[in-house]
Amino acid sequence: MKGILIVLVLSISSITFGQSVQRIEAMRMVQRGDNLLQMGMFQDAIFAYTNAITTDNSYAEAFMKRSSLYQRLGQSREAKQDYETALRLNPYSAYVLDEKAKLNFMIEQYSEGLENLEHAIAMEPDNHMLRDHRVDGYILTGEYYSAKNDLEILRETGFNDELTLLKRGLIEFLENNFDAAEESFEAVLEINPENALAYDVMGLISLRAGNIDEAIGHFDQAIAINPKFALAIYNKGVAYKMNGLDEKALKLFDQAIDAQLDIAPVYFARGLLRREMGDYEGAIEDYSSMNTFDSVYFDAIYNRAFTYEMVGDFENALADANSAIELNPDDAHAWKLRGNIHLLFGDYGEAVIDYTQALKLDGEMTEALFSRGLAKVLNYRLKDGCQDMKLAREMGYSGADQAIGNFCGP
């Protein structure tokens, strides 16, 4: 800590007061890039950041912003080059520390990311965006009390009430305080009746309470606001499935995938639904064919776990998966099943553990290897996850190409 402070002091003391004409012009170009980025004009934004770099090639923030956008577009090599340049030019600016924190969060180095933000906030205590990003870090680490403290400070400063309430509601939802969560989301909607995310999470709250029709109403409102809101479309499909409306659920799963919700849990859910409806070829396309087992009881528990999983009954699905493992702890498919359940419900760390055990029992189970990679990626362990998925592809797993293209670059 003392060493870092010394470097910071030396860095500050070396700053010249006043800014060059080139820096002022470069800052203007970066601002233009930010505006273009907000409008979704990604290539134009890259062009603006590149112009800023050409104008002032010592401007670390321009390199970092272009790096972030390259990473967003899947151009990992270019992102890495810009990131390293920015660090070399100014490793201790608040903006660079903020970006380092985001990167550390992505690769699951949460303590390092939070430390980056501590230094950044010490440098710019009035930069509320930094504190908001620290809230994200606290949420990722489950430090909800600290996240709430930061949110309260942000609320007192008047920083983006809509976003602050939205994150407060998310924390309450994660803590299973559903009444408090719903109160926060209702406050969000008073500020902005067009907040589709608030409606979507309210739908999930209703779904957890068994109020399926009410949940569908919330999902409909989210979709009406944003017809391309793929997650809300998928969640509505889950609600229809819980109501026994398989045909409608299948159409919504199709729509979610068409709307670019290309993640394994959606394909998994659609594959199970197709299987239940007798569309075996379609199920094979979405998910690997089911395996048969010697024990009738084991087979019944295994398949019932899939049923619970499909309707969103996590506790019963997990209980049946646990029973399947207890009955046959040496069966790799049982471990893979439990990994699938954890993956579907967002417990990515637990999913990695189960897939690893499945692979210990059956090293040729390429689907488990691919799924473990996907779980790692979704848990912000991008490098490790991509290694697993690429190895699964080398071993002949045909479903890996699209995910690798989406997450790992060429």
Side-chain angles (χ1 to χ4, degrees):
M1 176 69 73
K2 189 175 290 185
I4 291 176
L5 288 174
I6 290 170
V7 175
L8 287 172
V9 170
L10 291 174
S11 297
I12 293 169
S13 67
S14 67
I15 294 174
T16 56
F17 293 96
Q19 293 173 318
S20 68
V21 173
Q22 289 87 352
R23 175 59 55 86
I24 293 171
E25 180 64 13
M27 291 171 67
R28 186 187 67 78
M29 292 174 180
V30 164
Q31 183 61 55
R32 173 170 169 73
D34 293 345
N35 293 336
L36 290 166
L37 183 60
Q38 289 180 2
M39 293 187 288
M41 302 171 68
F42 299 142
Q43 293 303 325
D44 290 336
I46 289 225
F47 184 70
Y49 294 143
T50 301
N51 280 342
I53 290 166
T54 303
T55 302
D56 182 353
N57 62 9
S58 65
Y59 190 19
E61 184 170 335
F63 281 102
M64 189 60 82
K65 293 209 170 190
R66 191 173 69 173
S67 171
S68 297
L69 184 49
Y70 274 142
Q71 190 66 47
R72 186 172 175 179
L73 295 173
Q75 295 175 241
S76 301
R77 187 181 302 104
E78 293 87 347
K80 184 174 183 292
Q81 289 174 348
D82 276 358
Y83 177 77
E84 290 174 347
T85 301
L87 287 181
R88 187 172 65 252
L89 289 170
N90 190 353
Y92 298 111
S93 76
Y95 182 83
V96 170
L97 286 168
D98 186 29
E99 292 299 317
K100 284 178 71 176
K102 293 176 188 175
L103 179 62
N104 278 320
F105 290 154
M106 286 185 64
I107 61 177
E108 214 177 8
Q109 293 180 352
Y110 301 128
S111 60
E112 289 87 342
L114 287 169
E115 187 176 346
N116 294 147
L117 287 169
E118 290 290 342
H119 294 320
I121 291 170
M123 295 171 66
E124 296 185 10
D126 295 329
N127 187 332
H128 303 314
M129 189 67 71
L130 297 174
R131 193 175 298 274
D132 177 61
H133 293 166
R134 188 168 67 177
V135 169
D136 297 337
Y138 284 142
I139 292 174
L140 287 169
T141 57
E143 298 175 63
Y144 300 138
Y145 181 79
S146 297
K148 288 178 181 178
N149 282 342
D150 267 353
L151 286 172
E152 185 61 24
I153 293 171
L154 290 172
R155 188 191 66 79
E156 290 173 356
T157 64
F159 173 81
N160 198 331
D161 285 344
E162 180 183 350
L163 181 60
T164 302
L165 285 165
L166 196 66
K167 292 188 179 183
R168 175 81 184 209
L170 176 61
I171 292 169
E172 298 291 0
F173 177 74
L174 292 169
E175 291 184 317
N176 295 324
N177 298 326
F178 299 127
D179 290 342
E182 195 162 9
E183 186 178 328
S184 290
F185 292 125
E186 286 172 352
V188 168
L189 292 170
E190 287 181 10
I191 297 171
N192 178 14
E194 299 293 300
N195 192 306
L197 182 59
Y199 280 117
D200 184 53
V201 184
M202 287 178 69
L204 292 175
I205 294 171
S206 298
L207 212 56
R208 294 283 286 269
N211 301 323
I212 299 176
D213 291 339
E214 181 179 273
I216 291 172
H218 288 312
F219 296 139
D220 280 339
Q221 287 174 297
I223 295 166
I225 293 168
N226 181 3
K228 295 183 179 180
F229 193 174
L231 193 56
I233 295 169
Y234 169 69
N235 288 333
K236 183 180 175 183
V238 172
Y240 274 138
K241 175 60 186 172
M242 293 175 71
N243 253 355
L245 302 173
D246 291 353
E247 292 284 355
K248 288 186 175 182
L250 183 59
K251 287 181 180 178
L252 287 165
F253 290 159
D254 289 341
Q255 288 177 29
I257 290 171
D258 289 343
Q260 305 304 312
L261 192 63
D262 292 328
I263 57 176
V266 181
Y267 285 102
F268 181 62
R270 188 175 70 172
L272 292 179
L273 181 55
R274 283 175 163 177
R275 179 172 178 267
E276 288 179 12
M277 296 173 67
D279 180 9
Y280 297 108
E281 290 185 4
I284 290 170
E285 290 176 2
D286 281 342
Y287 203 74
S288 67
S289 59
M290 299 299 128
N291 292 277
T292 57
F293 303 93
D294 294 333
S295 167
V296 175
Y297 180 54
F298 176 71
D299 190 49
I301 290 176
Y302 183 89
N303 284 288
R304 192 175 70 178
F306 274 116
T307 303
Y308 281 135
E309 185 178 1
M310 186 61 248
V311 300
D313 190 341
F314 175 70
E315 290 184 3
N316 281 319
L318 190 59
D320 273 355
N322 289 336
S323 296
I325 289 171
E326 288 174 10
L327 283 166
N328 194 348
D330 294 326
D331 193 287
H333 299 287
W335 289 95
K336 179 167 70 71
L337 165 64
R338 195 169 74 174
N340 291 341
I341 293 170
H342 282 303
L343 181 65
L344 182 62
F345 286 93
D347 291 338
Y348 304 127
E350 294 296 325
V352 169
I353 293 171
D354 286 342
Y355 290 134
T356 299
Q357 182 61 26
L359 289 164
K360 286 180 181 178
L361 294 166
D362 182 356
E364 299 300 315
M365 188 176 279
T366 56
E367 183 185 341
L369 181 60
F370 168 77
S371 297
R372 186 177 72 175
L374 185 63
K376 288 178 179 179
V377 167
L378 294 173
N379 207 26
Y380 307 103
R381 295 169 57 186
L382 188 63
K383 182 178 178 181
D384 289 347
C386 287
Q387 285 177 347
D388 276 356
M389 289 193 288
K390 289 178 180 178
L391 181 56
R393 180 173 62 182
E394 291 173 9
M395 293 173 66
Y397 185 70
S398 59
D401 286 340
Q402 185 171 5
I404 291 171
N406 287 341
F407 293 111
C408 309

